Amino acid sequence: MPIPSDAELMRQIREQRKDALELLYDRYVRLVYSFARKACGDESLAREVVQLVFTRLWTTRAEFDAGRGAFSNWLVTVTRNIAIDVMRRERRHRQTVSIDEWTGSNSEDEPGNPEAAALRRSAQSELARASRALSQAQQRVIELLYWKGFTLQEIAEMGHEPLGTVKNRLHQALKTLRRQLQGLREEQ
């Protein structure tokens, strides 16, 4: 039996043939992993990238064009793009603080700086009061985007909603928060 080409395997994958994906996986998993490992610098993230790459091959309708270059180059480009997405998500995740932590529900006063602690509690209280004016959907977008590090596209996919709807909801939420916070500060 002749060995199928990479292009033939991709055609079979679009037809949802698992054996074609397994064969392609066996051929290229080392290349994808080694590139992901170098790009991410972390074994667990590299493994996640590998899984996402082969999941993307299984679910995407994008076609490999043999006339435009080697399959391995195309696959490395796909891997690179996914690795960048994963690294961005991780960077956002590391920079974020849980909403409970920020709003002070579990925080302790700073013993060496009572003024800073009082200012922090005041800002947290203002934010909590202002966020009550948001709808559940707006609160969800804020939570997922700013506190959990998801992209707007990911939030849209999670909610099975158009991206434009999520963007509009975020815009309205930020406008509402700005207006509420301004009103609270004017009251003081």
Side-chain angles (χ1 to χ4, degrees), residues 138 141 152 162-174:
Q138 289 172 330
V141 169
L152 290 173
L163 179 59
T165 300
V166 174
K167 286 181 177 180
N168 184 50
R169 191 171 292 141
L170 173 64
H171 175 74
Q172 295 303 319
L174 293 175

Side-chain angles (χ1 to χ4, degrees), residues 5-180:
S5 68
D6 297 332
E8 174 61 22
L9 288 175
M10 282 301 294
R11 186 190 64 71
Q12 291 175 10
I13 288 170
R14 281 191 308 280
E15 296 170 354
Q16 301 291 291
R17 293 208 25 214
K18 290 180 185 176
D19 57 327
L21 182 65
E22 289 171 5
L23 223 119
L24 205 61
Y25 178 87
D26 290 342
R27 277 186 197 173
Y28 290 104
V29 67
R30 286 189 181 132
L31 172 69
V32 171
Y33 176 78
S34 107
F35 187 89
R37 182 78 165 101
K38 286 178 186 166
C40 297
D42 179 85
E43 184 178 350
S44 65
L45 290 179
R47 289 175 188 264
E48 180 180 353
V49 168
V50 169
Q51 182 177 0
L52 290 170
V53 165
F54 287 99
T55 300
R56 171 101 28 108
L57 292 181
W58 181 253
T59 60
T60 189
R61 294 292 162 229
E63 293 190 30
F64 162 68
D65 181 3
R68 297 184 72 195
F71 179 79
S72 58
N73 293 340
W74 180 79
L75 188 59
V76 165
T77 300
V78 170
T79 304
R80 178 183 144 289
N81 292 341
I82 290 174
I84 288 169
D85 290 345
V86 166
M87 293 304 294
R88 282 180 183 154
R89 186 199 69 214
E90 283 301 307
R91 193 170 29 257
R92 274 192 315 268
H93 216 62
R94 280 193 300 266
Q95 291 173 347
T96 61
V97 179
S98 79
I99 196 161
D100 290 337
E101 196 176 309
W102 200 86
T103 58
S105 60
N106 293 323
S107 66
E108 298 173 14
D109 287 343
E110 297 174 30
N113 193 346
E115 183 180 345
L119 287 172
R120 188 186 70 245
R121 282 192 305 276
S122 173
Q124 292 164 348
S125 174
E126 284 179 3
L127 182 61
R129 284 176 50 200
S131 67
R132 288 186 204 123
L134 300 177
S135 70
Q136 286 279 48
Q138 289 172 330
Q139 288 177 4
R140 180 177 176 272
V141 169
I142 296 290
E143 170 87 16
L144 292 173
L145 183 70
Y146 291 108
W147 303 114
K148 296 198 176 170
F150 289 100
T151 65
L152 290 173
Q153 181 66 43
E154 291 169 330
I155 295 168
E157 289 169 3
M158 281 187 259
H160 305 289
E161 299 173 311
L163 179 59
T165 300
V166 174
K167 286 181 177 180
N168 184 50
R169 191 171 292 141
L170 173 64
H171 175 74
Q172 295 303 319
L174 293 175
K175 207 161 85 173
T176 300
L177 282 175
R178 191 176 307 115
R179 193 172 48 247
Q180 291 292 318

